[in-house]
Amino acid sequence: MTNRTSLRALATGTALAALAIALPAQAQDALPAAPAGEEAAPEQEVVVVGTQIKGKDITTALPVSVVDRNQIEATGALSGDDLIRSIPQAGDVTFNEANNPQTSNAARGDVNSINLRNLGVGNTLVLLNGRRMVSHPTSQAGDGNVPVLGYNSNALPVAGIERLEILRDGAAAIYGADAVAGVVNTVTQGDFDGARLDLRYGYAEGTHRKEFEGTGLIGHNFAGGRGNFSLFVNYVRRTAQLAEDQPYTATDNLLSFFANDPAYAGNLGADGRATQSPWANLAVVGGPGTIRRSPGNQALTSSAGAFHTQSSLNPGCAVTINSNVCYGTGTRATATTLRSERFDTRPGTTVTPAFNRYNAFFTGRYEVSDAVELYTELGYYLADTQRIQPPTINLNAIVIPASNYWNPFGPVTFANGQANTNRIPGLTNVPAAGLPVRLTTYRFVDAGNQVVNVENWQSRFLLGARGKIGSFDYDTGILYSEAQARDSSNAIDMTALQRNLALSTPDAYNPFSGGCSATPSLGDCSPASQATIDAISFNLVRKSKTTLLLGDFKLSSASLFDLPGGGVGIAFGVEGRRETQQDIRDPNLNGQITFRDMVTGETNLSNVAAVSPTPSVFGSRTVLSAYAELAVPLVSPEMDVPLVHRLDLQIAGRVEEYSDFGSVAKPKVAAAWDIVDGLRLRGSWSQGFRAPNLEQTKTVAYSRLNSNTDYYRCEADLRAARIANFSACSRGISYSIFISGNPDLRPEESTNWTVGTVIEPKFIPAGLGRLTLTADFWSIQQTGIVGQFGAQNALVLDYLLRLQGSSNPNVVRSAPTADDTPVFTGTGLAAVGAVTRINDQFVNLLPQTVQGVDLALLYNVRTDIGRFDVALNAARLTKFSRETPPAVQALFDARAAGQINAATPLTDASDLIEERGRPKWRVTGSLTWSHKGFQIGAFGNYIGTVYDTNFLDTAGNPYKVEGKAFFNLYGQYRIRKGPLEDTRFRIGARNVFDTQPPITADGYLGSLYVPYGRYLYASIGKRF
């Protein structure tokens, strides 16, 4: 971290980016007592998420889970990612440090996301001690390339959490935007008097992954208990996990894992090696067509001048250069004869990065009088990571000047009079001055692996006051929080590269040298010198920043006036917040420094070999809001109403005014009906919304590299009988998709409802413990979800329209070349060129409906042999579907009418359950036994079956990824007397049975699983 950044971080005040995550292990309304022999939590007011009425129990009507410190420890979690994967209601983790993001367009570094109900990043509202968190500053493409912002769960200092409060219900009427899937509130440890130190070390067996954690907590009461300050500090160091550590991450070629499965044996979808390699695709620019040489008038290129480098040991050599490399005509046949030359990106890389993570959090309070208490929060989170990625690819085509020293079609004599020994002898139709060559598919392997360094930090400063005004409780505060990220990596400067390629000396970069014939998918046997690499390289930097300035004033009364059923609670308040986002792209990407080809004069907005042009984004908005909430007890037990032991009602509403798109108003109604004591029915109905983020509305346009199938060419192949059926088409294409922001986007609206029951049998004697059973059915319908028409749909529409004599203007193609025309000869189809660009824009799309059931069993009992705490939680997804937009439905209709081939793929979103990151079932369970100084805890986590829709058998069926169960176990002893009094020793294991994640064509599903088996750890803690 730079000195300037350090000073600024300290001056800002620092923030614990303690992002809330949920482990649904408590369906009751209050925390359980501390286990016997365990240190009890300090006395403090319980903040219940789901209401703004201080001291009012609203959770009788709402599905709320509260997770205490002991239950968190049962997971063995060290990071927020470890913990969030233990939540049955959690969806897939799409911001993922192990997702292997290849460019700075992804959110990289110490970052993982929160995604309750699988509704997507940004649909869960995250609070810290009851107030909003600042979002992680780096966006990443979500579904349909829509940029999304979320909260970084890895910034959560697990060791510093007092408890988690999870509202598994929409709460826009209480908290405002983003509370679509639910609300997660993290309550940090505070009001601590004394000191505590904890040290922990752990490692994943058979890997290089090792972790050390040190945690300190100090606090002091003063002024006779009227004041307290507490300071928490935490440090975590983790070494990188290497690709070589596991067989399913060691290579891109996973064909051997499916060799014994008849339906998938030989399915090349399991061979994920990349087409970009040191073996290059090239084409002569401005040539006479096919380049030939004597004797024999041998063709060295296609009719469009295309040729390639390949291993001299593979078939297809036209000109052999040496034992490693030769030149072949046309483009590389990596789908067939040259498949061995696909590049294996995994060796030498990291699966998860090495990092240092720091957290600090300070809380203070002082009672000025019985009616006024001042309080503050100061926090800081910092993480620096380093990951190793594969070498950079050449994303944007570049022309190698004729003067290049290594150009096989270069001049006969260089400008300095030296004879060109690299020109192919006997060329019959290449001028003496030579011809330039266009370089397309290529990887700069000799430049080495890409090293990515990311620094994330977040700060938080809160100053508030609370107390009494008459019969009302008040709470007011000013919060400022900001988050920043700096992503830097080595990259190739296109302008510097072309300048170097123009050299007529051996110092020129040589893209014609290929790789290694002995290991064609690895390495470069004729690398450029370090001086040459240095001449074409630079450090690519992306800086992003988000800020949150919030002020609020809240008034509440638990009993404003009395009804026969009890006191009516009320809360109302106002809030104003200012949100900003900056995504500052490197000048080589954002249009300040562009690449202009010195040979052709073509201009590209990106001057970086591997990253699409992306403008910087600056946005801000102001939000003013007001809310009101009523808690109405309609019937109390004392009223003796038959079949109505108790009946409570919650009514709430909130209005928010946005500076950029207007106002939104949302209501909520919830009720709890106790038929008899111990049998409760509860339900709620609410409306919610998610505001489009600033990147979705402010972005002018950006591009991304994409790949798909040119279905129009597939039709030509079928008519020419080059393929037996449409499904056999292999017309894979790469292109840029240009996406525009939309300032007219409206909020994504949602309607939520839940119906459930809580059973607490009162016939069980107190000595036999307390049993709680809960079941809740929930439903969320969203409308206006921000998305796009989609590149695949655009290509299918272009296919349909070209058969009808027109074309899709959003699919941009180059003019047909001499290589394109023969493809369409005799088919009755007009010849077209390659797809170079697809245009799209963010729009509000049609509804999505998600439904499911939450189940829980909780049991606590004290016996002569100790206390037992049991928790079972299950989440069952029953529906996940999206309606088809009219423009896409028109494509389905055209396919049904025979206007396009019946095998043309179209995305059917009517049933998305069990599709990759959406298992039907997720179940967790925990068991803790405590007695005197001993404690043993066990935790189980089951992730249900999903299907890999990207990996199909011969009949088109997706690959079944079987569900897996994982079990954790720990034991600890706390010394209660003697010189080591209050010293705790613990040993434990996550995934004690060493269960590996299920294998997929990608290796494993990083959004659901972690890339290692058994993890062992030990810790020691001392309270002073």
Side-chain angles (χ1 to χ4, degrees):
M1 184 169 64
T2 65
N3 290 334
R4 180 179 178 184
T5 303
S6 300
L7 291 172
R8 185 175 184 184
L10 293 173
T12 302
T14 69
L16 174 74
L19 299 177
I21 53 182
L23 172 64
Q26 285 293 105
Q28 62 226 42
D29 302 333
L31 295 173
E38 280 298 292
E39 174 186 317
E43 290 289 335
Q44 60 176 307
E45 179 185 358
V46 174
V47 178
V48 179
V49 71
T51 181
Q52 298 281 14
I53 304 175
K54 182 179 179 180
K56 197 69 174 178
D57 184 6
I58 295 297
T59 59
T60 56
L62 301 175
V64 174
S65 300
V66 179
V67 188
D68 69 3
R69 183 72 218 159
N70 289 320
Q71 292 163 336
I72 294 173
E73 289 182 346
T75 69
L78 183 67
S79 68
D81 182 45
D82 296 334
L83 190 52
I84 199 171
R85 292 175 186 271
S86 302
I87 307 168
Q89 287 78 17
D92 54 351
V93 185
T94 52
F95 281 36
N96 187 337
E97 61 182 11
N99 264 352
N100 198 28
Q102 297 291 309
T103 79
S104 62
N105 291 326
R108 306 190 289 195
D110 183 43
V111 56
N112 283 78
S113 55
I114 299 173
N115 178 18
L116 293 181
R117 305 298 194 195
N118 249 316
L119 293 187
V121 174
N123 281 290
T124 302
L125 179 62
V126 179
L127 308 176
L128 172 60
N129 294 329
R131 285 184 170 91
R132 284 178 175 262
M133 296 290 300
V134 68
S135 61
H136 182 68
T138 309
S139 66
Q140 180 171 292
D143 288 345
N145 279 321
V146 177
V148 292
L149 293 170
Y151 301 93
N152 182 8
S153 68
N154 266 358
L156 170 67
V158 175
I161 299 175
E162 180 65 35
R163 68 181 182 274
L164 298 174
E165 302 171 337
I166 307 103
L167 174 61
R168 308 187 312 273
D169 192 23
I174 305 295
Y175 298 106
D178 306 333
V180 176
V183 180
V184 183
N185 181 33
T186 297
V187 180
T188 59
Q189 297 183 48
D191 261 2
F192 188 78
D193 191 23
R196 194 177 72 206
L197 178 65
D198 293 280
L199 302 175
R200 169 171 160 164
Y201 176 79
Y203 67 96
E205 286 187 348
T207 75
H208 289 80
R209 186 189 190 100
K210 297 176 176 61
E211 296 171 325
F212 168 79
E213 179 184 39
T215 303
L217 178 63
I218 186 171
H220 179 62
N221 292 327
F222 60 93
R226 292 168 56 195
N228 174 271
F229 71 82
S230 298
L231 175 64
F232 163 86
V233 292
N234 175 257
Y235 169 72
V236 180
R237 165 65 180 172
R238 190 182 74 196
T239 56
Q241 182 172 336
L242 307 183
E244 66 199 48
D245 289 343
Q246 301 288 6
Y248 50 84
T249 60
T251 177
D252 289 319
N253 187 359
L254 301 176
L255 289 172
S256 62
F257 285 89
F258 304 93
N260 296 323
D261 188 334
Y264 295 91
N267 188 325
L268 296 180
D271 180 3
R273 290 176 296 173
T275 56
Q276 298 95 347
S277 75
W279 311 104
N281 273 334
L282 307 125
V284 174
V285 176
T290 302
I291 304 296
R292 299 182 180 276
R293 73 166 180 174
S294 60
N297 201 31
Q298 180 189 8
L300 302 183
T301 72
S302 70
S303 57
F307 69 106
H308 63 268
T309 60
Q310 66 170 72
S311 167
S312 58
L313 300 181
N314 278 333
C317 290
V319 179
T320 299
I321 303 303
N322 52 48
S323 60
N324 276 309
V325 63
C326 70
Y327 300 137
T329 61
T331 59
R332 297 172 57 231
T334 55
T336 53
T337 57
L338 301 183
R339 191 170 193 90
S340 65
E341 295 178 3
R342 290 187 171 216
F343 188 74
D344 196 341
T345 67
R346 301 290 183 89
T349 65
T350 57
V351 176
T352 56
F355 71 73
N356 294 286
R357 182 190 298 147
Y358 310 84
N359 276 292
F361 198 66
F362 173 85
T363 60
R365 63 170 182 83
Y366 179 68
E367 295 180 15
V368 179
S369 68
D370 292 340
V372 178
E373 181 182 64
L374 302 178
Y375 63 95
T376 188
E377 294 175 4
L378 300 172
Y380 180 57
Y381 154 81
L382 168 69
D384 59 80
T385 67
Q386 183 177 88
R387 68 175 296 133
I388 309 300
Q389 296 192 159
T392 299
I393 65 171
N394 182 53
L395 178 63
N396 305 309
I398 187 171
V399 176
I400 305 165
S403 59
N404 178 266
Y405 180 80
W406 310 100
N407 184 355
F409 303 112
V412 174
T413 304
F414 292 121
N416 61 5
Q418 179 182 355
N420 185 358
T421 58
N422 294 312
R423 177 179 167 122
I424 296 174
L427 295 175
T428 59
N429 55 350
V430 175
L435 291 170
V437 172
R438 188 184 303 275
L439 174 67
T440 53
T441 309
Y442 184 69
R443 187 181 296 269
F444 298 89
V445 175
D446 48 2
N449 285 332
Q450 191 176 48
V451 180
V452 179
N453 293 293
V454 180
E455 183 182 275
N456 296 323
W457 71 268
Q458 296 184 16
S459 69
R460 182 180 179 93
F461 171 77
L462 170 68
L463 181 63
R466 56 194 169 211
K468 286 278 190 179
I469 300 177
S471 62
F472 281 86
D473 294 292
Y474 74 88
D475 189 349
T476 184
I478 297 176
L479 167 70
Y480 178 74
S481 186
E482 69 177 60
Q484 292 194 33
R486 185 181 189 274
D487 182 308
S488 64
S489 57
N490 50 298
I492 303 297
D493 182 317
M494 295 285 282
T495 300
L497 172 64
Q498 193 174 54
R499 187 166 54 242
N500 178 272
L501 287 170
L503 297 177
S504 299
T505 67
D507 294 327
Y509 185 75
N510 182 9
F512 303 97
S513 64
C516 303
S517 60
T519 55
S521 64
L522 293 171
D524 187 336
C525 286
S526 52
S529 68
Q530 189 58 51
T532 297
I533 297 300
D534 292 343
I536 64 176
S537 301
F538 79 107
N539 193 40
L540 176 69
V541 176
R542 177 185 183 184
K543 297 179 182 179
S544 51
K545 177 180 178 180
T546 50
T547 69
L548 171 65
L549 175 63
L550 182 149
D552 60 15
F553 182 80
K554 311 172 187 178
L555 280 174
S556 70
S557 174
S559 183
L560 181 64
F561 60 88
D562 289 332
L563 292 176
V568 175
I570 187 171
F572 52 91
V574 293
E575 176 185 285
R577 65 181 187 269
R578 173 77 169 174
E579 301 170 344
T580 70
Q581 181 192 358
Q582 298 178 17
D583 191 4
I584 305 172
R585 298 307 186 112
D586 195 280
N588 290 280
L589 285 179
N590 66 15
Q592 294 184 43
I593 301 175
T594 60
F595 170 65
R596 185 177 186 276
D597 196 294
M598 66 171 62
V599 177
T600 66
E602 298 172 351
T603 299
N604 194 308
L605 295 177
S606 174
N607 191 43
V608 186
V611 189
S612 303
T614 306
S616 296
V617 176
F618 302 87
S620 64
R621 65 163 51 116
T622 300
V623 185
L624 301 176
S625 60
Y627 70 88
E629 177 188 354
L630 284 174
V632 184
L634 299 177
V635 178
S636 68
E638 292 76 19
M639 296 172 66
D640 291 325
V641 177
L643 297 180
V644 185
H645 179 73
R646 178 178 173 182
L647 181 61
D648 295 315
L649 183 68
Q650 180 194 31
I651 303 172
R654 187 180 183 106
V655 176
E656 295 203 338
E657 177 74 26
Y658 283 75
S659 60
D660 50 350
F661 64 77
S663 61
V664 179
K666 297 299 174 185
K668 178 165 188 166
V669 179
W673 170 26
D674 286 14
I675 300 175
V676 296
D677 189 17
L679 176 59
R680 176 181 304 147
L681 300 180
R682 63 187 180 189
S684 68
W685 175 89
S686 64
Q687 292 183 334
F689 65 99
R690 182 176 72 161
N693 65 52
L694 295 170
E695 201 159 334
Q696 294 168 2
T697 59
K698 302 296 183 182
T699 298
V700 178
Y702 66 88
S703 71
R704 295 288 182 264
L705 182 67
N706 208 346
S707 60
N708 214 294
T709 301
D710 189 341
Y711 303 108
Y712 184 65
R713 287 177 183 262
C714 294
E715 178 71 23
D717 287 342
L718 187 64
R719 293 189 182 190
R722 289 186 289 265
I723 55 177
N725 54 66
F726 203 77
S727 299
C729 180
S730 59
R731 291 289 183 176
I733 54 173
S734 295
Y735 52 87
S736 292
I737 179 168
F738 279 73
I739 305 165
S740 300
N742 186 348
D744 296 325
L745 286 175
R746 302 298 300 166
E748 299 176 355
E749 308 278 354
S750 64
T751 300
N752 299 46
W753 59 269
T754 64
V755 176
T757 183
V758 181
I759 302 174
E760 295 180 301
K762 300 302 180 180
F763 57 80
I764 299 177
L768 295 182
R770 180 183 178 186
L771 174 67
T772 303
L773 302 170
T774 70
D776 293 284
F777 178 83
W778 54 271
S779 175
I780 303 172
Q781 184 180 55
Q782 296 173 279
T783 60
I785 296 174
V786 176
Q788 301 169 54
F789 182 61
Q792 176 174 291
N793 291 330
L795 287 166
V796 174
L797 179 60
D798 188 63
Y799 167 35
L800 171 64
L801 294 178
R802 286 188 181 276
L803 292 180
Q804 297 173 347
S806 61
S807 64
N808 181 0
N810 288 322
V811 177
V812 181
R813 295 177 181 268
S814 60
T817 68
D819 287 347
D820 294 323
T821 303
V823 173
F824 299 94
T825 300
T827 65
L829 301 176
V832 298
V835 175
T836 60
R837 169 173 173 162
I838 294 179
N839 298 319
D840 213 334
Q841 186 183 37
F842 302 132
V843 293
N844 291 106
L845 298 177
L846 289 178
Q848 168 177 282
T849 301
V850 185
Q851 297 176 343
V853 177
D854 292 337
L855 305 170
L857 180 154
L858 306 158
Y859 180 62
N860 313 99
V861 63
R862 289 182 181 274
T863 71
D864 293 338
I865 60 171
R867 175 185 169 113
F868 294 86
D869 296 278
V870 179
L872 293 174
N873 294 271
R876 168 69 156 85
L877 197 61
T878 61
K879 184 175 184 179
F880 203 119
S881 66
R882 296 170 184 159
E883 293 188 18
T884 304
V888 178
Q889 185 59 50
L891 299 180
F892 277 98
D893 295 341
R895 188 174 68 178
Q899 297 174 3
I900 55 177
N901 193 280
T904 305
L906 293 170
T907 301
D908 183 1
S910 60
D911 185 4
L912 299 176
I913 294 179
E914 294 188 318
E915 182 178 304
R916 289 179 70 84
R918 302 182 185 93
K920 186 179 295 184
W921 279 102
R922 295 194 69 165
V923 183
T924 65
S926 65
L927 169 63
T928 304
W929 168 77
S930 306
H931 186 56
K932 297 182 179 179
F934 293 93
Q935 187 174 79
I936 296 175
F939 179 81
N941 185 9
Y942 171 73
I943 301 172
T945 296
V946 295
Y947 290 86
D948 187 352
T949 53
N950 295 333
F951 189 43
L952 309 179
D953 65 13
T954 53
N957 300 310
Y959 181 75
K960 185 177 182 180
V961 183
E962 297 284 357
K964 292 277 188 175
F966 305 88
F967 299 93
N968 304 345
L969 183 66
Y970 77 87
Q972 76 172 34
Y973 178 68
R974 183 186 298 275
I975 299 175
R976 307 175 73 186
K977 296 180 180 179
L980 294 179
E981 181 181 358
D982 274 337
T983 301
R984 186 193 71 179
F985 300 91
R986 172 180 292 187
I987 58 172
R990 297 204 309 264
N991 192 0
V992 67
F993 297 116
D994 196 26
T995 302
Q996 296 290 339
I999 303 300
T1000 70
D1002 301 323
Y1004 76 106
L1005 288 178
S1007 61
L1008 292 179
Y1009 298 96
V1010 295
Y1012 54 88
R1014 182 163 45 235
Y1015 178 96
L1016 302 175
Y1017 64 93
S1019 67
I1020 181 172
K1022 170 67 173 157
R1023 176 161 183 173
F1024 304 93

